[in-house]
Amino acid sequence: MAGQRVGGSVGGVLTSCLFLATAVPAMEQAKSQPLARDEDKAAVEKWAGALHLRQDEARWLFQAEVARAEGLMSQAAAAYEQAWLSGRNHPEAAFKAADLYAQNLGQPVTAARLLRQMRRGSTSTAVAEQAQLALDKLAPTLREVAVQHVRIAATQHGAEALQSLQDAEDADPENLSIGIRRAQVLAEGNDLDGLQHAIQALSRRGAATPTVLAGLPRMGEHLKRASFRGGMTRLLGATRLHELDVLVQQGAKKTALAVGTVGKDCADCPEWVVLPAGSFTMGSNLSEAEDEMPAHGVSVRSMAMGRTEVTRAQWQAVMLSEPPGYFTECGPTCPVESVTWSDVQMFLQKLSLKTGHRYRLPSEAEWEYACQAGEHHTYCGSDNVDEVAWYGNGGASSSGGNSEQRIHPVAQKKANAWGLFDMSGNVWEWVDDCLNMGYLGAPNDGSAWLVGDCSRHMARGGGWPVYESIVRSAVRGNYAVSMPIRSTSLGFRVVRALP
């Protein structure tokens, strides 16, 4: 999240290996001299000699130290950065600037921008490697910043949405799904020049496949315009453009997916079912848990929701790597567990690229609407917990529950009225909303609640370790975005965007 501090110091991990041992005593000696606010030529010359810097570099470094000593961290960061930019002879100054941006000023994106400059522009392999280490340390925070901007963009249109997506891309430039979303906004807005540049940027990264491009809004209409088609011909070549034409024509022949349609977008992809639009009462006024109150009406759009929690086999097929998890012996049809927020976002990005369709997490309202499935049961699909849920004894030493204190393969229990399995129990499921204790001020249109404590996100459904009272349809949980220890009862299911 924007403004969140990163654990530890970006610069701290770098100082020992980058600051010359002979320069450190001289630096300390120079710093011990009284620092005046006006430029002290003698002191600057001393710094320049001690650190083998040019006068302008030493002057910026001197000013940075003065500002820092006076608590002017913004000025200090800017001066440290300028000390490096003046001659790129003193990388320690740049690392100090990045550290101040990330730690003291709540500007991780600015810190990352500077570190990327160092990685690209340094002639020292050691400096470039240390810049990459610092970027790796910032990565979880940057991904969360990007996710927040993408969510904001989803509520906007036109130039506002594009600016939010640009902010997201500045935070996480490796995230291809942001570039694809930018192309979608441009295609929706009929900005063909901008769209062509966006596709060119995707092409440079290998993501401008005909499958992805065919999913852009109004693509068939755009390709009929000679100037745009000519640009696509130059960019894709005749063969790939023909493939795009075929896919667009096939898509035009398809009607909207009917409610109840079951499908999946590849052999190993999550299976989904199209749910109807509708309204329902979310939350409960009868519970002792205040965070379930007040009960309130919500309207939800039609969506295609995963019929099961994402499984270990599906994770491996999409991510091309072994899934995380403690219960590895459970097998390929067990839900993937021990997944962090960042893990889930990466899976959604790769699944979207693999299929050419946008996948996301459900909002909390969408999740509870799907759980209830037009009915009113205590649990998702039944008033009998053992029919629909794997649940535990809360960690007690005595017996209780039916899970045997472990996860189970998906779809072994009864589905709810809309064909969704394991909405209650087995593993908790991440949803898109930030943490809010209670529903006062919550959206009533089914969208995710993107204000509140966004260092934590909501999870629903309960899991294998908890009492049956915790797998009720209205129960709410939450987990930290940057969790120090992974939870063996935390997974997720997906929503596929409909045309």
Side-chain angles (χ1 to χ4, degrees):
M1 190 169 64
Q4 181 178 351
R5 292 188 175 187
V6 187
S9 165
V10 173
V13 299
L14 308 164
T15 302
S16 61
C17 60
L18 289 173
F19 208 45
L20 296 174
T22 56
V24 173
M27 181 74 162
E28 293 303 317
Q29 182 181 0
K31 287 168 63 178
S32 68
Q33 302 298 322
L35 298 180
R37 191 74 179 101
D38 294 330
E39 180 176 315
D40 186 329
K41 184 175 180 180
V44 169
E45 288 179 354
K46 189 172 183 178
W47 282 39
L51 299 173
H52 308 290
L53 301 176
R54 298 195 321 238
Q55 288 288 318
D56 55 343
E57 294 172 303
R59 183 170 59 253
W60 282 113
L61 189 59
F62 182 90
Q63 291 176 355
E65 293 291 345
V66 171
R68 188 169 190 169
E70 295 181 358
L72 304 174
M73 297 306 178
S74 180
Q75 293 180 24
Y80 278 132
E81 181 175 356
Q82 193 60 45
W84 178 68
L85 291 173
S86 294
R88 307 203 175 193
N89 293 316
H90 191 54
E92 174 63 14
F95 286 121
K96 284 187 175 184
D99 201 39
L100 287 176
Y101 285 134
Q103 301 290 331
N104 298 78
L105 300 173
Q107 299 175 20
V109 176
T110 305
R113 183 260 309 157
L114 177 56
L115 291 166
R116 291 186 190 111
Q117 280 184 313
M118 296 186 71
R119 184 185 60 187
R120 292 192 303 266
S122 176
T123 57
S124 166
T125 301
V127 170
E129 290 175 349
Q130 294 301 323
Q132 184 59 56
L133 285 175
L135 282 168
D136 291 343
K137 194 170 186 178
L138 279 173
T141 298
L142 294 169
R143 283 195 291 267
E144 178 59 15
V145 170
V147 167
Q148 292 294 341
H149 284 302
V150 169
R151 289 193 191 129
I152 292 169
T155 68
Q156 299 171 323
H157 301 282
E160 288 185 344
L162 290 172
Q163 182 57 59
S164 293
L165 290 169
Q166 181 61 60
D167 293 339
E169 205 158 29
D170 289 344
D172 190 4
E174 304 303 317
N175 189 332
L176 291 172
S177 64
I178 299 173
I180 293 172
R181 179 57 188 149
R182 174 193 290 278
Q184 291 172 338
V185 172
L186 291 164
E188 289 168 353
N190 205 32
D191 183 350
L192 297 192
D193 288 339
L195 176 59
Q196 191 162 320
H197 282 104
I199 293 173
Q200 189 172 23
L202 290 171
S203 180
R204 286 195 296 267
R205 302 168 68 189
T209 65
T211 301
V212 169
L213 299 183
L216 297 179
R218 305 172 65 186
M219 198 61 177
E221 175 186 335
H222 297 329
L223 286 170
K224 293 177 182 177
R225 300 192 180 186
S227 60
F228 182 75
R229 188 174 186 85
M232 289 298 96
T233 302
R234 291 188 294 274
L235 188 60
L236 301 178
T239 301
R240 295 178 74 205
L241 181 62
H242 175 71
E243 184 180 350
L244 174 58
D245 284 332
V246 170
L247 290 173
V248 168
Q249 291 168 9
Q250 290 175 347
K253 294 177 182 177
K254 294 180 180 178
T255 57
L257 293 171
V259 170
T261 298
V262 174
K264 54 184 178 178
D265 293 313
C266 69
D268 299 314
C269 289
E271 186 175 65
W272 41 259
V273 58
V274 178
L275 308 184
S279 300
F280 78 114
T281 299
M282 183 177 184
S284 172
N285 290 330
L286 303 177
S287 171
E288 295 181 359
E290 293 184 1
D291 70 336
E292 298 173 18
M293 303 178 188
H296 58 291
V298 179
S299 297
V300 178
R301 298 175 62 183
S302 179
M303 58 183 153
M305 179 171 279
R307 297 191 69 203
T308 70
E309 295 146 342
V310 172
T311 66
R312 292 178 59 82
Q314 290 163 354
W315 179 278
Q316 187 157 14
V318 172
M319 302 297 284
L320 303 178
S321 63
E322 284 294 319
Y326 176 77
F327 295 101
T328 56
E329 78 287 349
C330 185
T333 60
C334 279
V336 65
E337 34 85 12
S338 302
V339 286
T340 67
W341 180 259
S342 294
D343 292 336
V344 172
Q345 299 306 315
M346 186 62 68
F347 177 90
L348 294 169
Q349 174 190 341
K350 291 193 174 184
L351 179 60
S352 298
L353 287 172
K354 180 181 177 73
T355 63
H357 296 281
R358 187 166 70 91
Y359 279 84
R360 58 177 176 84
L361 287 175
S363 70
E364 193 174 7
E366 288 173 332
W367 188 97
E368 191 167 328
Y369 174 70
C371 159
Q372 291 188 19
E375 301 178 336
H376 299 282
H377 293 299
T378 304
Y379 309 100
C380 298
S382 178
D383 291 320
N384 181 346
V385 65
D386 288 297
E387 281 189 337
V388 294
W390 297 108
Y391 64 99
N393 60 13
S397 57
S398 58
S399 61
N402 63 10
S403 70
E404 301 177 335
Q405 294 304 97
R406 61 182 177 85
I407 63 170
H408 291 263
V410 300
Q412 299 297 298
K413 293 289 187 178
K414 172 186 170 184
N416 72 4
W418 287 344
L420 303 172
F421 295 92
D422 301 304
M423 295 289 283
S424 288
N426 215 10
V427 292
W428 287 93
E429 300 176 14
W430 282 110
V431 294
D432 214 15
D433 303 52
C434 300
L435 168 62
N436 286 276
M437 301 304 292
Y439 289 125
L440 288 175
N444 62 7
D445 61 357
S447 62
W449 201 357
L450 303 180
V451 297
D453 180 3
C454 292
S455 69
R456 304 184 70 88
H457 280 266
M458 304 307 295
R460 299 299 300 264
W464 59 264
V466 302
Y467 292 114
E468 61 184 272
S469 62
I470 308 301
V471 298
R472 291 182 297 107
S473 60
V475 167
R476 308 171 74 210
N478 66 85
Y479 287 85
V481 168
S482 301
M483 59 178 67
I485 300 175
R486 292 173 180 256
S487 170
T488 59
S489 60
L490 179 59
F492 68 108
R493 75 177 65 221
V494 300
V495 165
R496 176 196 188 268
L498 294 177

